[in-house]
Amino acid sequence: MVENGQNKLMRASKCIYVFFLTMLLSACNHGIPPQTDLEMDKQRPFTKEDPASISLMKPTTPLPQKPLRDFPYLRGINIGNALEAPEPGSWGVTIREEYFDEINKAGFNSVRLPVRFSAHIGSAPKYKIEADFLKLIDNNIQVALSNNLIIILDVHHFTELMENPEKEKEKFLSIWRQLSEHYQYAPPQLFFDLLNEPEKSLDSKRWNEMVSEVIPIIRMTNPTRKIIVGGVDYSTINSLELLQLPADDNLIAAFHFYSPFEFTHQGADWVQGSDLWQNTTWTGTTAEKEIIQKDLDLALSWSIQNNIPVVMSEFGVIKKADNLSRLRWIQYLTQEASRRDIGWVYWDFCAEFGIYNCESQTWDRELLSALLSNQQLE
Ligand code: BGC
């Protein structure tokens, strides 16, 4: 890999940043037994391509450090409003094969595919996923993989489960049993994302129980597949604290980031009262930036303390917001996420928050570069 000066500078500042955060955390962790060099090497915060970090990290012997896992840094995009609509296409986005090529060529390395499986299953006790629907999903997965993209398959808009977790649990388990069997031989670039934004009656106790039941089901057929798990309350950063994950080296915790909500969701027709937020700007004041930094620090400390990687699997600004503010927020957030080694998946491709125009088949070049400049490239 050839690194330019800017990349080197970014990497160096990231090392220093994580070093200081680690020092800070160490103050609260005196009780932790010292680690051997070997253990430390396994948990080194920066991956093999970043030898500069090693000398910085070595002196901090007994500290919990950012997990080193075989987990790529995600720069992805959610293809929203397509397969999680009540019927494919009914929210105006129909996925075309060429989109995956466009996404790859633009510089993303991953795609999250939200799917409303719960609208395409038969009756109890099998809750069989409709064969034609599954074929459609297969096709999208295959095309994404053949375009060199990681594809995150996400069970999305399972509203019945949120409202009635006990009654609907079997459906959820059955969907994952079927998907696991069906995709057990798929390449490791297919990731599973258990459930989008658990909320309402699916509280943390119930969600943690469900996670502890569904993961062993998936593991029966997919022993090492990456599984992404978000917390309750719409997977906010604060909900990471409530998440209890089983010991498993291939789990990734996710959070969604739409803060300040009044800015990112101004005029969103699915958010009551959001008309009043129209014209909210984000100018990047020190106070505005500090909010983002503090939130991302929380996610990073959770990741370090729990030794589990985190990913920001949704974030974005509605197109109704003023363009300059959108640009600033997107650029600042992705830059700060990257400094903390937190991968991200933008919401969304060509719908309300989109950065691509599916009719003219063109990117919003400024937003694209706001997203992808300053990013880790392998
Ligand atoms: C929802 C979308 C919504 C987006 C931003 C997603 O999780 O599924 O419907 O547009 O969040 O609010």
Side-chain angles (χ1 to χ4, degrees), residues 261-280 318 320:
F261 199 65
E262 291 79 0
F263 165 62
T264 62
H265 279 69
Q266 52 189 287
D269 50 24
W270 63 99
V271 180
Q272 224 188 357
S274 63
D275 275 352
L276 298 172
W277 307 335
Q278 303 251 24
N279 302 320
T280 307
I318 199 161
K320 288 178 180 169

Side-chain angles (χ1 to χ4, degrees), residues 127 160-161 164-171:
Y127 303 112
E160 311 90 291
L161 184 69
N164 214 331
E166 269 88 28
K167 181 166 168 276
E168 301 288 324
K169 187 176 84 178
E170 276 313 313
K171 258 188 216 170

Side-chain angles (χ1 to χ4, degrees), residues 55-84:
S55 55
L56 270 179
M57 296 309 300
K58 278 265 157 131
T60 61
T61 319
L63 311 177
Q65 295 173 6
K66 189 155 191 311
L68 175 61
R69 295 269 177 86
D70 177 22
F71 176 54
Y73 183 83
L74 297 184
R75 304 180 306 275
I77 193 153
N78 280 277
I79 308 192
N81 285 27
L83 295 168
E84 87 282 21

Side-chain angles (χ1 to χ4, degrees), residues 81 156-157 196-197 256 258 265 270 314 347 352-353:
N81 285 27
H156 209 96
H157 284 324
N196 186 62
E197 299 187 350
H256 292 178
Y258 289 106
H265 279 69
W270 63 99
E314 276 191 26
W347 183 278
E352 286 104 338
F353 289 55

Side-chain angles (χ1 to χ4, degrees), residues 63-330:
L63 311 177
Q65 295 173 6
K66 189 155 191 311
L68 175 61
R69 295 269 177 86
D70 177 22
F71 176 54
Y73 183 83
L74 297 184
R75 304 180 306 275
I77 193 153
N78 280 277
I79 308 192
N81 285 27
L83 295 168
E84 87 282 21
E87 281 304 322
S90 65
W91 283 352
V93 179
T94 301
I95 304 179
R96 298 162 62 120
E97 293 194 359
E98 345 27 309
Y99 294 165
F100 295 98
D101 177 43
E102 283 290 335
I103 289 170
N104 166 280
K105 277 198 310 218
F108 296 95
N109 66 358
S110 44
V111 153
R112 182 167 177 256
L113 191 68
V115 183
R116 195 187 291 234
F117 283 105
S118 53
H120 299 277
I121 51 179
S123 48
K126 287 202 165 159
Y127 303 112
K128 197 168 176 316
I129 301 173
E130 293 163 10
D132 285 353
F133 189 68
L134 200 52
K135 255 192 209 138
L136 178 65
I137 306 304
D138 288 352
N139 189 46
N140 280 286
I141 291 176
Q142 269 154 6
V143 179
L145 292 171
S146 67
N147 279 285
N148 213 12
L149 293 164
I150 288 170
I151 176 131
I152 303 166
L153 183 61
D154 152 46
V155 169
H156 209 96
H157 284 324
F158 196 165
T159 41
E160 311 90 291
L161 184 69
M162 317 287 177
E163 276 149 18
N164 214 331
E166 269 88 28
K167 181 166 168 276
E168 301 288 324
K169 187 176 84 178
E170 276 313 313
K171 258 188 216 170
F172 176 70
L173 299 181
S174 166
I175 287 172
W176 275 116
R177 190 174 296 113
Q178 294 174 68
L179 293 176
S180 301
E181 279 167 18
H182 189 72
Y183 292 119
Q184 61 184 304
Y185 301 116
Q189 289 80 5
L190 169 68
F191 293 9
F192 291 157
D193 184 341
L194 291 185
L195 181 70
N196 186 62
E197 299 187 350
E199 40 135 359
K200 297 190 183 146
S201 306
L202 191 48
D203 55 21
S204 63
K205 185 172 173 291
R206 293 190 178 105
W207 178 229
N208 286 332
E209 278 167 15
M210 234 178 252
V211 169
S212 72
E213 281 187 64
V214 76
I215 288 179
I217 293 177
I218 296 174
R219 287 292 175 239
M220 280 166 69
T221 45
N222 295 255
T224 56
R225 190 168 302 288
K226 303 288 181 210
I227 303 177
I228 297 183
V229 192
V232 292
D233 296 333
Y234 301 95
S235 302
T236 51
I237 286 180
N238 287 333
S239 72
L240 286 172
E241 213 40 64
L242 302 169
L243 200 54
Q244 283 166 12
L245 296 178
D248 180 323
D249 280 349
N250 288 293
L251 298 184
I252 299 142
F255 66 89
H256 292 178
F257 193 87
Y258 289 106
S259 164
F261 199 65
E262 291 79 0
F263 165 62
T264 62
H265 279 69
Q266 52 189 287
D269 50 24
W270 63 99
V271 180
Q272 224 188 357
S274 63
D275 275 352
L276 298 172
W277 307 335
Q278 303 251 24
N279 302 320
T280 307
T281 55
W282 196 87
T283 54
T285 61
T286 307
E288 285 173 332
K289 286 179 173 170
E290 267 174 19
I291 294 173
I292 288 185
Q293 291 191 20
K294 275 195 188 142
D295 279 340
L296 294 181
D297 279 350
L298 273 182
L300 180 60
S301 354
W302 184 89
S303 173
I304 292 170
Q305 281 172 338
N306 291 277
N307 198 29
I308 299 172
V310 284
V311 64
M312 182 162 69
S313 57
E314 276 191 26
F315 69 102
V317 187
I318 199 161
K319 286 195 278 194
K320 288 178 180 169
D322 121 77
N323 207 41
L324 194 54
S325 295
R326 267 185 106 199
L327 271 169
R328 287 193 199 106
W329 187 89
I330 288 173

